[in-house]
Amino acid sequence: MRQDLGPVLPPWNGSTLVRNTLYCNGNAITQQLVVLSIYVVVGAAPVTLSTYGRLLWWRSTKRRPPISAEEEGGMAAVPPA
């Protein structure tokens, strides 16, 4: 059972990827790249989903008020006296 679990864990795949890249000229690295890519996607999905909701909340409450007629005419650019 433990022998079957090792090839799907990131440390085993990371070390095998480095070993095959250095000593075997990059041969037989497809499985390692696929497994590590799956871990990246699965790990990034909850972070992205949780952040997306916060960004929408922040964007909706921090809206700038509409531009007034004085601002459109350039009056806001004149420094106060």
Side-chain angles (χ1 to χ4, degrees):
M1 177 69 178
R2 288 187 186 188
Q3 293 87 7
D4 298 333
L5 189 61
V8 295
L9 295 176
W12 186 86
N13 285 294
S15 62
T16 305
L17 177 66
V18 170
R19 185 185 69 222
N20 287 351
T21 302
L22 293 176
Y23 300 118
C24 300
N25 295 326
N27 292 328
I29 61 172
T30 305
Q31 177 189 356
Q32 287 77 31
L33 290 175
V34 168
V35 170
L36 291 173
S37 299
I38 289 171
Y39 271 94
V40 168
V41 170
V42 169
V47 173
T48 303
L49 292 175
S50 65
T51 306
Y52 184 70
R54 290 182 185 172
L55 287 177
L56 291 179
W57 173 80
W58 178 80
R59 189 180 295 170
S60 65
T61 60
K62 303 285 184 182
R63 293 195 183 266
R64 184 172 180 227
I67 297 175
S68 66
E70 293 176 348
E71 287 178 334
E72 285 184 7
M75 296 299 295
V78 178

